[in-house]
Every structure is written in structure tokens, then in C-alpha cells.
Amino acid sequence: MEQEILVSIVLPVLGSEAALDRCVRGVLAQSEARWQLLLSGSAGTRAWAEAWARRDRRIQVLPEDVAGRAAALRAGLVRCQGMFTVFLDAEHVWASDFLALTTAFLTSNTLEDMVCMEARTPEGRPTVPPRPAVYREHGQLSSVLDGEAGLSRNATWYRGELARHLRWGEYTRLAVTLLRTECAELLLPALRDESGALDYRLQARMAAKCAVNLLALSGAVHRPEPATAEQRRQREIDALAVFDEIHRRQWETDRELARLRRERMARIEQRLPLQALGAWCQALWRRVQSPSGPMATDLETRSADRSL
């Protein structure tokens, strides 16, 4: 009898073969074994993916050749069969209990749509600085996992409105974020374009739909591939574009938003020639002055709902 699929894992095959091998071994080591792994990539990486598919029938290689992370996630998302979905990437190696803890949380808390854990560096530092002050509820993790065995007594669960996190950027990594599949499917429109700040953009899309639940335990080790100066610069530009989509011109009256926006601009200015920066700022200013886009409207709707 074929095993039920509980979790669909979408993994773009990008970067090096060594990184892919390390990542897939982390999936195979999961204590929760009811998963499917969808590998999506280009013709140049197909041989790497197919080698893994031959080892385990739960691993599938998508037939399309796609270029870029957003396109790969989109191709995989439409084939997800599990109750839950996670967007993995080859830079992360899961802890062996990542799927067990996150699926247990969403199974125990049927009104929640998403849950995440922390990603950490090989030295043990969180890759995204935690901001416990923005969470409105917290407690012992065991209390929301029906006494899940083996949890540290100090393990903590935090809950808060996702939109409150977005002024600082992403709150964790997509690679350690488990979504109900019907919630993940709402992100398809945001996967049409590539972005160096894709995690931030997708989290902003979720902000109108979900509260964030953080299990304050390490869910993965992050081992990033080397990035060029151009890639780092583009990542900063894309992050500022997302920032302005979310907050629009609130920085004119919100001092903290104004400070955070200045800091983002300063990081870009360090990497852009002055003439190019001026042209880019003019284009961004026209975009900010334009009518509200769907992301800003969604966030305003969520704010209105909370005020009722």
C-alpha cells in the first residue's frame, strides 16, 4: 500500500551539486517520513536531481526545465499533493526533527496556517535576528504540541501578527516555514518574477492571511553559496522595493520606518555609482506615488479587520 503524503517539499536545484547532496541527505534523515520531494531546475542540473530520484521513490524530478528560484517554486507548487508544503533551498540542511515538530504543531492547531523554526549558521547564530518583543503571545512549546516527547523544557513558542515583523525584513527563512498547502497556493501570483528578496516578498504576501508562529528551536543550518557583489547589491535593491510596497509613504510620519529606510538606502548607495543610484531612486519614487498595489491593499485590509 502506497504511503500517504503529508508534506510536499519543493526544492529548486540551484547552486552546487555538493550543496544539493547535503540538503537532500537532511530530508532523508527526517523522523517524519511521509513526504514527497519535488526537484525543479534546468537542463544543466537535471543529472544531479535524477541521481537522487533513482535512490528514493519519494523524490521526483519535474519534467520542465526552469531558470531561477521563483520559476522552480512555481513549477513545483502546482504539483504538491501533501496537506502541508515547504519551500526548501539547497543552502539549508534540516535538523532531523524539523518536519515532525512543524507538522505536529499544525495538526494540533487546526486554525493556524503556518509555522516556522529558526535557521542558524554553522556556528549556531540565528540567520535572522529574533525580535521577541513583536510577539503578542508566547508559552512553552509542549503546551501547543500535546506534550510532544523529547522537547527541551526551555523550548518556546511565539505567536504574533506577521505584518508587524515586515518593517525589519524577513522574520525567518522559507526553508524552515511550513504552510498549509491551500495557503501556499495563494503565493502563486508572487512567483511570476525573480527577486533577490524572494523570501521577504512571499512573507509580505502572507502577511494579510496568516499569523506567524515561531518554534524557537533550530530547524536548519544555513550554509550559503558565495554571492557576488552584484548579487548582494541586487538583493538590497529588491528588499527596498518590497519595503516600499508594504509601507508605501508611511516613512514620512513614522520615525522608525524612516530610519530603517535610510539604512537600506545607505547600503545600496555604498554599492551603486551615484548616477545609477539617482536614476533608480527616481523610478522608485514614481512607483511609491502610484496607486496602491495588491500587497498594500491586503495589509490595509488586515489592519482594518484587527480594528473591528
Side-chain angles (χ1 to χ4, degrees):
M1 183 175 178
E2 193 166 336
Q3 182 173 254
E4 170 198 7
I5 297 173
L6 182 64
V7 182
S8 295
I9 306 160
V10 184
L11 174 57
V13 185
L14 303 170
S16 68
E17 184 178 10
L20 175 68
D21 292 348
R22 192 167 53 225
C23 177
V24 175
R25 288 191 191 100
V27 176
L28 292 170
Q30 291 299 296
S31 56
E32 171 54 71
R34 294 171 294 172
W35 48 260
Q36 66 170 164
L37 176 59
L38 303 170
L39 300 178
S40 179
S42 66
T45 61
R46 180 167 296 278
W48 307 347
E50 290 176 344
W52 278 109
R54 287 193 292 269
R55 299 188 195 188
D56 194 304
R57 63 185 303 176
R58 294 171 295 179
I59 302 175
Q60 304 169 44
V61 182
L62 302 192
E64 306 97 330
D65 290 336
V66 296
R69 186 177 174 216
L73 292 178
R74 184 178 179 87
L77 181 54
V78 298
R79 290 177 169 84
C80 289
Q81 300 174 32
M83 181 184 302
F84 308 116
T85 292
V86 58
F87 297 143
L88 185 54
D89 61 69
E91 293 186 347
H92 287 84
V93 181
W94 279 341
S96 61
D97 59 357
F98 169 71
L99 287 181
L101 288 176
T102 53
T103 55
F105 181 92
L106 290 182
T107 301
S108 300
N109 296 269
T110 56
L111 297 181
E112 303 296 339
D113 290 320
M114 62 171 291
V115 62
C116 59
M117 294 177 71
E118 293 178 345
R120 297 184 183 175
T121 66
E123 296 74 31
R125 297 188 302 272
T127 58
V128 178
R131 297 184 180 275
V134 305
Y135 294 98
R136 59 184 175 85
E137 299 175 20
H138 62 86
Q140 291 298 303
L141 183 53
S142 57
S143 67
V144 292
L145 286 181
D146 296 332
E148 185 76 13
L151 286 177
S152 164
R153 291 183 179 180
N154 297 323
T156 305
W157 154 75
Y158 293 104
R159 185 178 194 274
E161 295 299 327
L162 179 53
R164 294 183 62 194
H165 296 258
L166 297 177
R167 60 179 55 203
W168 295 287
E170 61 199 41
Y171 61 88
T172 186
R173 303 282 179 172
L174 290 181
V176 284
T177 301
L178 189 74
L179 300 164
R180 293 194 188 278
T181 297
E182 61 267 28
C183 180
E185 289 170 348
L186 298 175
L187 300 176
L188 278 169
L191 291 172
R192 293 195 182 101
D193 300 313
E194 296 298 332
S195 171
L198 188 61
D199 279 34
Y200 192 13
R201 181 173 297 282
L202 294 181
Q203 288 168 17
R205 291 283 172 175
M206 288 187 281
K209 311 294 181 183
C210 306
V212 57
N213 291 285
L214 172 67
L215 311 186
L217 294 167
S218 179
V221 174
H222 183 217
R223 299 179 182 273
E225 294 278 302
T228 66
E230 175 63 24
Q231 288 171 328
R232 292 193 296 270
R233 177 184 69 84
Q234 189 60 51
R235 195 175 300 151
E236 293 288 354
I237 292 173
D238 291 348
L240 182 57
V242 177
F243 183 92
D244 281 338
E245 274 186 74
I246 297 167
H247 305 294
R248 293 184 293 160
R249 298 179 63 175
Q250 293 178 42
W251 47 266
E252 292 182 341
T253 55
D254 187 318
R255 290 184 178 180
E256 184 181 40
L257 281 177
R259 175 181 62 80
L260 293 171
R261 191 174 189 277
R262 284 196 302 271
E263 290 175 359
R264 290 183 178 278
M265 291 290 292
R267 289 196 293 271
I268 294 170
E269 189 172 3
Q270 291 172 3
R271 299 188 172 99
L272 274 176
L274 188 59
Q275 183 177 1
L277 177 65
W280 178 78
C281 287
Q282 290 178 8
L284 185 61
W285 179 252
R286 288 194 295 271
R287 183 174 184 177
V288 172
Q289 288 184 311
S290 66
S292 304
M295 187 185 300
T297 304
D298 284 349
L299 291 173
E300 284 185 344
T301 302
R302 182 60 182 257
S303 298
D305 290 343
R306 288 201 298 271
S307 66
L308 296 177

